[in-house]
């Protein structure tokens, strides 16, 4: 009897009745249930993260930058998280977020403090503070959710740091541009200062000449003021005499008024006296006009000399402050002369009026002589006019005295001005020397500023944005994958496909006999007996592999890069796993089945199906290199994801070695099984 007949006989036994057939069908779909359900449940968990509730709370009150810009990073971070839909974010208050995490409404919460923005902006005032965020987690909700929350916080931290770095770099580059521009302006200003210093040097030379002429003019002004003071004293004496005469005229008119009874006899004498007074008044008035003319001429000369002086000083390059000082001094002199001239002109007009009045008195006296009846009223009017004349003379005397005082002051001020102009000449010479030195220094400054401006970078707006972005995020990662799983479920598929085939092979030997008793009772060769016991579960295992592949590739839509090769590889893996478990069951019986379960657990943790095998403890790393499931997982990864298929040959070679070794062990077990022992008749453990 060949091995295939033995396998067919075993399959007929397994399907001899409806219940047995249903059991075989159930065994066939066990790998599919295990691998398919697990991969379905974990097909794309990261795509479902937007359904995981999370809270974000911000107490950030914001801050104002030195540029006046309002900064509220907390609101920006919260809004970006909500818009990102990375989780089911809820923007709530701080207390509501904490209560939600504690009560399980939220998996975790991100809390931003009141000083978040001000801490981020603190580098601008050179008192930097690190901004902080609080991640509130509760592992009682879900440990992995807390881990993912930490990942989100790191991403937010990186994003905020990049924004802050970009903003700071942009402000720094703007400052460099402003420094470059201001240095250029300073260099231009230094150049203009050098040119101005050259002109100022020439002006200082002119100032020396002008100040010398000013000294001469002020000396003349002082001498003229002295003469004016002497003339004013003479005018005071004349005004005093005028006042005395006016007083006497008033007294006489009063007496005349009281003695109107003798008026007809005295009118001729009165007329003569009045004519004499009128003549004297005309003499005084002429003198007053002469003094007024001299005063007017003096004031005109002073104004002309003042204008010429100021023009010369300005032409000489005198500064506005120096001109203001000279102008102030001249204003005082001009004001004093003006007041004196005003009073002299007033006195002259009053003397003229007095002369005219005296003439009228004389005419009136004559008229009085001819018009005696109207004499009384005329005498009274003359007495009143005489009173005004006396008062005017008094005012004239006071004005002339004031003029004399002003002239004295003018002379003194002119003397002081002479001394000041002498000092001005000396200062102008020092100014000329200093301006020459200023020109040299300005030239050196202009050269240095130009060199400094050329050394300061002046980036364009586009360059500034590019540099700021580079500083804020100096490293970019270009991800290039030689092969890609595409989803979390696809990433786990190699491990759970292999594990499902092992479980499928394991459950087969719960009902399949590893060795046919009929074959053992005959003279069949041990190899044929072993192959016959192996082929029956291999057939069921092949169906398991096909169904599992169809569910994963078609039902779960996990992309398979090499469908045919993957299917063939799954069959090879199933055959190898069936052979290993067949050998254990055939050689060790119930103990072998238990060892098959132990091997499944050991291979589950050592196959490297989730974390890289290098992360395993060293003993499990040794197990990884000798366990058949490690090579099954490696081969399926390359076939599913489209990687280099070269290592698949090594995986197939190792699996083939396990297959041959397992069949050899089964053959040995078949040969030993021909001998019945007490342990076989009454086994201590039956599974």
């Amino acid at each position: 009897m060949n091995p295939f007949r033995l396998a067919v006989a075993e399959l007929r036994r397994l399907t001899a009745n409806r219940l047995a057939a249903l059991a075989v069908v159930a065994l066939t779909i066990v790998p599919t249930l295990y691998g398919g359900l697990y991969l379905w449940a974990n097909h794309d968990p990261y795509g479902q993260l937007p359904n995981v509730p999370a809270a974000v709370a911000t107490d950030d009150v914001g801050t104002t930058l030195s540029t006046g810009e309002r900064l509220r990073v907390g609101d920006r971070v919260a809004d970006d998280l909500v818009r990102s839909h990375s989780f089911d974010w809820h923007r709530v208050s701080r207390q509501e977020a904490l209560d939600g995490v504690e009560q399980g409404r939220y998996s975790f919460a991100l809390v931003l403090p009141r000083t978040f923005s001000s801490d981020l902006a603190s580098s601008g005032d050179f008192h930097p503070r690190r901004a902080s965020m609080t991640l509130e987690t509760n592992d009682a909700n879900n440990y992995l959710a807390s881990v993912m929350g930490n990942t989100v916080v790191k991403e937010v931290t990186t994003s905020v740091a990049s924004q802050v770095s970009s903003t700071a770099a942009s402000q720094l580059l703007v400052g460099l541009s402003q420094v470059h521009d201001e240095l250029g302006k300073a260099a231009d200003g230094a150049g203009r200062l050098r040119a101005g210093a050259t002109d100022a040097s020439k002006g200082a030379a002119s100032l020396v000449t002008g100040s010398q002429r000013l000294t001469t003019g002020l000396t003349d002004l002082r001498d003229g003021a002295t003469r004016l003071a002497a003339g004013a004293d003479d005018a005071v004496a004349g005004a005093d005499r005028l006042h005395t005469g006016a007083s006497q005229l008033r007294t006489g008119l009063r007496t005349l008024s009281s003695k109107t009874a003798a008026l007809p006899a005295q009118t001729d004498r009165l007329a003569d006296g009045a004519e004499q007074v009128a003549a004297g008044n005309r003499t005084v008035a002429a003198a007053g006009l002469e003094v007024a003319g001299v005063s007017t001429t003096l004031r005109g000369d002073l104004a002309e000399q003042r204008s010429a002086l100021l023009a010369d000083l300005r032409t000489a390059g005198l500064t506005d402050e120096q001109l203001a000082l000279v102008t102030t001094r001249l204003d005082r002199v001009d004001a004093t002369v003006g007041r004196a001239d005003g009073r002299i002109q007033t006195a002259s007009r009053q003397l003229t009026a007095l002369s005219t009045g005296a003439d009228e008195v004389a005419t009136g006296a004559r008229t009085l002589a001819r018009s005696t009846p109207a004499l009384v009223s005329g005498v009274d009017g003359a007495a009143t006019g005489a009173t005004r004349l006396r008062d005017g003379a008094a005012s004239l005397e006071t004005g002339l005295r004031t003029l004399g005082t002003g002239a004295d002051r003018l002379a003194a001020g002119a003397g002081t001005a002479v001394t000041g102009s002498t000092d001005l000449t000396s200062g102008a010479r020092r100014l000329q020397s200093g301006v020459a030195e200023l020109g040299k220094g300005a030239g050196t400054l202009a050269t240095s500023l130009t060199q400094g401006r050329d050394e300061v970078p002046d980036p364009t707006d586009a360059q500034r944005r590019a540099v700021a972005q580079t500083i804020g995020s100096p490293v970019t990662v270009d991800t290039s994958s030689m092969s890609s799983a595409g989803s979390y479920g696809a990433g786990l598929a190699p491990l759970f496909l292999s594990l499902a085939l092992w479980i499928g092979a394991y459950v087969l030997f719960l009902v399949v006999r590893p060795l046919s008793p009929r074959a053992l009772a005959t003279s069949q060769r041990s190899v044929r007996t072993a192959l016959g016991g192996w082929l029956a579960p291999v057939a069921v295992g092949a169906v398991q592999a096909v169904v599992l592949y169809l569910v994963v590739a078609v039902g779960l839509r996990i992309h398979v890069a090499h469908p045919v090769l993957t299917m063939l590889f799954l069959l090879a893996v199933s055959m190898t796993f069936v052979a290993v478990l067949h050998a254990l069951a055939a050689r060790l019986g119930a103990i072998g089945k238990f060892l098959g379960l132990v091997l499944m657990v050991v291979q589950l943790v050592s196959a490297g199906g989730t974390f890289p095998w290098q992360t395993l403890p060293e003993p499990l790393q040794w197990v990884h290199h000798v366990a058949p499931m490690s090579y099954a997982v490696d081969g399926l990864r390359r076939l599913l994801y489209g990687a280099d298929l070269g290592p698949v040959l090594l995986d197939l070679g190792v699996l083939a070695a396990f297959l041959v070794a397992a069949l050899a062990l089964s053959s040995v077990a078949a040969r030993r099984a021909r001998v019945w022992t007490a342990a076989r008749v009454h086994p201590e453990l039956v599974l």
Side-chain angles (χ1 to χ4, degrees), residues 39-101:
L39 293 178
W40 180 39
N42 295 275
H43 180 62
D44 187 18
Y46 291 103
Q48 302 303 317
L49 289 181
N51 297 325
V52 178
V56 56
T58 174
D59 296 332
D60 185 18
V61 297
T63 187
T64 301
L65 301 178
S66 58
T67 58
E69 178 185 356
R70 187 68 181 167
L71 184 67
R72 291 182 70 103
V73 182
D75 290 340
R76 188 189 310 167
V77 170
D79 293 339
D80 289 345
L81 286 175
V82 173
R83 286 194 297 268
S84 70
H85 299 294
S86 55
F87 290 89
D88 183 18
W89 289 102
H90 297 265
R91 186 168 178 179
V92 296
S93 66
R94 178 189 184 94
Q95 189 59 46
E96 186 176 352
L98 299 179
D99 292 343
V101 173

Side-chain angles (χ1 to χ4, degrees), residues 365-444:
R366 290 298 179 185
T367 304
L368 179 61
R370 291 189 298 268
S371 305
T372 301
L375 181 59
V376 175
S377 59
V379 170
D380 289 338
T384 301
T387 300
R388 289 197 299 270
L389 177 60
R390 182 198 63 184
D391 296 338
S395 299
L396 175 60
E397 182 181 1
T398 302
L400 289 173
R401 291 186 185 279
T402 302
L403 174 61
T405 302
D408 291 334
R409 292 177 180 175
L410 175 61
T416 302
V418 170
T419 302
S421 66
T422 302
D423 295 338
L424 175 62
T425 301
S426 176
R429 290 194 178 95
R430 292 194 298 271
L431 174 63
Q432 183 179 10
S433 176
V435 167
E437 293 297 327
L438 175 62
K440 295 179 182 178
T444 303

Side-chain angles (χ1 to χ4, degrees), residues 600-616:
M600 180 189 71
V601 175
V602 172
Q603 291 183 108
L604 172 64
V605 298
S606 65
T610 53
F611 292 97
W613 63 268
Q614 292 86 351
T615 62
L616 297 172

Side-chain angles (χ1 to χ4, degrees), residues 184-361:
K185 294 177 182 178
D188 295 339
R192 291 193 296 271
L193 176 61
R194 176 174 55 186
T198 301
D199 294 338
S201 180
K202 298 177 182 178
S206 300
L207 176 62
V208 171
T209 303
S211 63
Q212 291 173 344
R213 291 199 298 268
L214 173 63
T215 301
T216 301
L218 289 174
T219 301
D220 295 340
L221 175 62
R222 180 188 59 189
D223 296 341
T226 300
R227 292 193 296 272
L228 175 62
D233 290 339
D234 294 340
V236 168
D240 183 61
R241 292 193 298 271
L242 176 61
H243 178 267
T244 301
S247 297
Q248 293 171 353
L249 175 61
R250 177 180 178 277
T251 302
L253 289 175
R254 289 300 181 184
T255 301
L256 179 63
S257 178
S258 64
K259 297 179 178 181
T260 55
L263 184 60
Q266 298 173 352
T267 53
D268 289 338
R269 292 193 301 272
L270 177 60
D272 294 339
E275 290 174 353
Q276 292 175 359
V277 171
N281 286 338
R282 282 192 295 273
T283 302
V284 173
L289 288 173
E290 182 179 356
V291 172
V294 171
S295 178
T296 301
T297 302
L298 175 60
R299 187 173 185 184
D301 292 341
L302 286 176
E304 181 178 356
Q305 289 297 325
R306 170 193 173 98
S307 300
L309 174 62
L310 293 177
D312 290 340
L313 292 178
R314 188 175 299 279
T315 304
L318 207 61
T319 63
D320 291 339
E321 290 81 4
Q322 293 170 335
L323 286 173
L325 178 60
V326 174
T327 301
T328 301
R329 296 288 182 85
L330 292 176
D331 286 341
R332 294 175 182 173
V333 173
D334 199 16
T336 302
V337 172
R339 288 193 298 271
D341 179 66
R343 292 178 180 177
I344 289 173
Q345 297 298 332
T346 301
S348 177
R349 288 193 296 273
Q350 291 174 348
L351 287 174
T352 301
L354 179 60
S355 177
T356 303
D359 289 338
E360 291 176 354
V361 169

Side-chain angles (χ1 to χ4, degrees), residues 601-603 605-608 613 615-627 630:
V601 175
V602 172
Q603 291 183 108
V605 298
S606 65
W613 63 268
T615 62
L616 297 172
E618 187 172 354
L620 291 180
Q621 292 187 24
W622 286 97
V623 173
H624 170 79
H625 291 295
V626 299
S630 301

